[in-house]
Amino acid sequence: MLNIILFGAPGTGKGTQSKNIILKYHLVHLSTGDIIREEISKCSPVGLIAKTYIDQGLLVPDSIIIKQLFYRASRFEKPNGFIFDGFPRTLNQAEILDKTLNKKGYPVSMVFYLDVSEEELFKRIMCRSLHSNRADDNEKIIHKRIEVYYKETQPIIKFYEKQNKLITIKGMDSVDIVSGLISEEIDKYIDKNNLLLY
Ligand code: ADP
């Protein structure tokens, strides 16, 4: 299995790149942001709780996110692999993901860190806010999300660096260039590990 984590601050292009990767390698896309937004749109109990956090630019509690993610993942029988988009976002989430996947015998394969300057992140989310319809894409909340990212999420980089799984990609280039760089790395990994994807 090919299990890929797309990692980076809000606005780095994780969602856009995920779409390109799933098309090319037929992976299952698991975006915790999308999962939570779906729950909010259904007004489910989980969605209602999550909304109180998202609206403040805070992370949704690990217990909620982890349960939702593993429930969705369990619906797929023998996929080529998963692409985790927006997960993990805390060290605790990273440790639980590792433990769970290692136990199943298909660990995290590679982690792409999309590196984009803070100034550019802010510009991109402000631009996205013009058409995204996302309540959390507004100036005050964006600042909070970026602050939370640096405090709670960025420490995960070291966790994957230590495992030699982190690949840093300069996310400032165009979508196509970034896609090309990611694909090159995935192709190398597939070749090296003789993976057979359908
Ligand atoms: P972005 O990467 O632009 O912040 P996402 O769609 O990934 O957008 O996430 C939107 C919001 O959903 C986050 O600000 C957070 O409140 C919540 N969220 C998404 N993934 C997680 C996660 N793994 N842990 C906690 N909260 C999450």
Side-chain angles (χ1 to χ4, degrees):
M1 262 178 92
L2 182 62
N3 287 320
I4 293 176
I5 294 177
L6 268 193
F7 182 87
T12 42
K14 301 183 295 290
T16 308
Q17 293 302 334
S18 293
K19 284 184 196 113
N20 294 336
I21 300 171
I22 51 171
L23 282 178
K24 182 157 181 201
Y25 300 98
H26 309 287
L27 304 178
V28 172
H29 183 209
L30 291 172
S31 156
T32 41
D34 286 352
I35 292 172
I36 290 301
R37 279 185 288 277
E38 194 188 313
E39 291 301 317
I40 292 176
S41 72
K42 288 193 293 194
C43 290
S44 71
V46 161
L48 294 177
I49 298 171
K51 188 170 173 4
T52 62
Y53 292 90
I54 290 196
D55 285 354
Q56 296 178 72
L58 301 174
L59 295 183
V60 175
D62 283 356
S63 53
I64 292 181
I65 288 286
I66 288 163
K67 200 166 161 198
Q68 287 296 316
L69 180 88
F70 288 129
Y71 167 64
R72 310 273 170 146
S74 70
R75 290 176 179 170
F76 298 92
E77 259 182 56
K78 298 204 176 148
N80 273 344
F82 293 102
I83 173 140
F84 297 94
D85 162 7
F87 186 94
R89 254 176 156 101
T90 62
L91 213 43
N92 180 47
Q93 291 179 9
E95 283 165 356
I96 290 177
L97 181 67
D98 252 27
K99 221 190 253 173
T100 309
L101 294 182
N102 290 345
K103 215 157 111 189
K104 290 185 185 292
Y106 40 86
V108 170
S109 316
M110 49 209 315
V111 181
F112 288 101
Y113 166 41
L114 302 180
D115 191 13
V116 173
S117 74
E118 194 171 336
E119 194 191 342
E120 175 73 12
L121 293 177
F122 190 75
K123 263 201 289 186
R124 285 190 191 179
I125 309 178
M126 284 309 286
C127 176
R128 183 172 80 186
S129 72
L130 300 175
H131 47 81
S132 75
N133 246 347
R134 275 177 56 171
D136 59 345
D137 278 352
N138 77 56
E139 195 168 343
K140 191 169 150 229
I141 297 176
I142 294 168
H143 280 298
K144 185 68 194 170
R145 283 161 60 201
I146 294 176
E147 183 194 319
V148 167
Y149 166 78
Y150 284 115
K151 194 163 154 236
E152 300 191 45
T153 306
Q154 226 193 18
I156 298 176
I157 289 177
K158 282 214 166 63
F159 178 82
Y160 289 115
E161 239 168 18
K162 276 192 208 145
Q163 299 186 29
N164 279 325
K165 288 184 177 169
L166 194 87
I167 298 167
T168 301
I169 301 280
K170 286 213 183 328
M172 304 285 277
D173 285 319
S174 71
V175 170
D176 288 347
I177 292 180
V178 173
S179 282
L181 293 170
I182 293 176
S183 292
E184 247 175 59
E185 295 292 338
I186 298 178
D187 291 342
K188 269 194 259 171
Y189 183 94
I190 291 175
D191 272 356
K192 197 172 151 202
N193 293 280
N194 291 318
L195 285 187
L196 279 178
L197 304 183
Y198 54 86

